[in-house]
Amino acid sequence: MSMGNWERLVWNQRDALIAGFAVTVEVCVIAFAAAIVGGLILCLVRLYVAPLRPIAIVLIEFFRDTPIFVQLMWVSYVWPELFGFPGSFFSAGWLALGLQSSGYLAETFRTGIEGVPRGQREAAFSAGMSPAQTFSRIVMPQVVLATAPSIVNQFTVIVKSSTLVSVITVPDLMSQSQRLVNIWYEPIEILTTTAGIYILFVFLVSSAGKFLADHLRRRYGLVAYS
Amino acid sequence: MSDSLKQALDLSLFWEYRGILLQGLVFNALVFLCAAVLALSAGLGAALMRVNHFFPTRLIGTLHVELFRNAPDYIMLVWVHFVLPLLIGIVIRRRVEFHPFVSAVIALGLVYSGYFAETFRAGIEAIPLGNLDAARAFGMSERLILWRIMLPQVVRRMLPEALNQFVSLFKATTIVSLIAVPDLMYAVSMVTQQEMRPLPLYTGAALTYFLIILMFASGVRAFSERWRRKILA
Amino acid sequence: MSIIPRIRVAEVHKSFGSLEVLRGVSFDVHRGNVVSVIGASGSGKSTLLRCVNYLERPNVGEVYLEGEPLGSRPDASGRRRPRSLAEINCLRRELGVVFQQYNLWPHMTVLGNVVEAPIRVRKLRRDEAIAIGEECLRRVQLIDKASEYPARLSGGQQQRAAIARALAMRPKAMLFDEPTSSLDPELTDEVLGVMRELAADGTTMIVVTHEMAFAREVSDRVIFLHDGLIEEEGPPEALFEAATSERLRKFLAKYRK
């Protein structure tokens, strides 16, 4: 394992790896957005839409408890026949990742909302604010601040799980490096570098999350939920 | 669509192969148990290193945790199975190969040792310093303090969190099929190749895991509620 | 004929980083005597007590337990070299400590707390340790709480349990670090009562305290610590009634309500 080897196998192939990394980021970001939207919807339905509450609870449990790999396979191979979508493996990838995280985020949001002291709502009503105003101006901002670290943490979970989309042939970083290994039959440099890239990326994101949590705690005195 | 829906929910195929599928599930359980043992011991070791007075020890502990906690399970799995044997082979100048089961246990055990290390560390740091002062004042050795004063309190405090990690670990064992460990997903893909009917099989797998994890997760939640009330009384 | 003091503190200095907390403290405690240490917060009282049993290691100076220095010992060739932690641990058995925060171990019952060190450190048999432990609990009037967990006890009961725990090791001396400072006023009396009895029984004690009445009543000597040095010391009547130091008089005035 020499520098020359590394140069030949990794550095010279960096275009492929960079392209793969771009796809990874793309999948993760879209999945993350979907997770936030989905999580919010599930959470709000569970809390405030009484007739649909059982469905929301079951869905939240299902998305959280089913292992990501299983969900990925299920969404990729069963859903197209059942529901007609997702149309591509790329969509299947971010959809599955997004669904799993939406389950976690729904619970995170719920904890956040229920954690806002009741007195705050009462103060807002006493001042004449409507429920909608109270929710958007008083409750949600606090929920966002309190849950921000958990949300960032969920992004790191998505990044780590995204390695599995290579299994459904999405050309992400993992997939590219496996392709290179299959071409050159020399896994050491390629896989170690790939692992290093993922570890570094996740480390940076989670450090940013910790920094954010410290900043929020110092500024607003809020405790971050996990 | 209703035709596909019927197909998907026609779990009779899943039921038909339940023998093989169940055997696969047993493999999930075995990987889980072995990885759990590794994760607990390595995690405890790393946590103790992180609270040590000696800076190099702390550094090594921190490196261990950050390295494994931030690593995706899948890449660790692949790396341990394909790269680690080669590295060892270079050092001892012989050809080394890992059995997929061993790779899976090592990979998942190491990744989750990172999570457990943080859980343990939080528990250790939550112990009031006075407890340890009192133990030292009575002349207890550091080893005695660790086993009689620190660990019992760490376990009591962090048991709910640790149980959550165990559930996550079990969920993580579903990827071992990707290096040909014959678990449930592996069995499902084998049967799919044979029967060419993925719908009921993958749906069945999803439902099976869902029900199992739901059971465990609910149990853990209920237990944690009672436990926290009892411990923080 | 000079009697070797049970505890001798000799020119102890202790700094934390650049902050010098103890700047040369020396005193003796003879067998059966009670020495009280009083002083304002920040005077170094607690640090002094923690140096006596080497929870903090003095930077300069030494603590002698019946003539034996805690910090060093002669090696094979007769030279002195520092004691290791394990060796200091051995000597610590002879000093019982009662902390301000009680520091009972929450995951063990009261009796469990009391017998833990005798069993693990003195290597007594379990039934022996329990017998001694129960005797100590009787002495502090807590025998009926033996199988309770600390969380269910009041502050005064917890502190008495802590005293029983220290007594169970049959130490040569007892060190008290502001034992009643964390207690509600109604509960301090039960603890002070126990301490009075211990003193009457001839226990060698060093007590860091704010309870002036107690110090005056029970001590054989009182030490007034200020800014890391002994400002004045002597029998209680001398300090409390005829203090020579201006600082001491101001300090005592605050308590004379």
Side-chain angles (χ1 to χ4, degrees), chain C residues 12 24 44 68 99 114 124 136 138 176 245:
Chain C
V12 163
E68 185 69 39
F99 296 86
V114 170
L124 292 182
C136 294
R138 259 183 282 267
F176 292 85
S245 142

Side-chain angles (χ1 to χ4, degrees), chain A residues 190-202:
Chain A
I190 300 170
L191 288 181
T192 308
T193 310
T194 308
I197 296 176
Y198 273 112
I199 292 175
L200 189 62
F201 185 39
V202 173

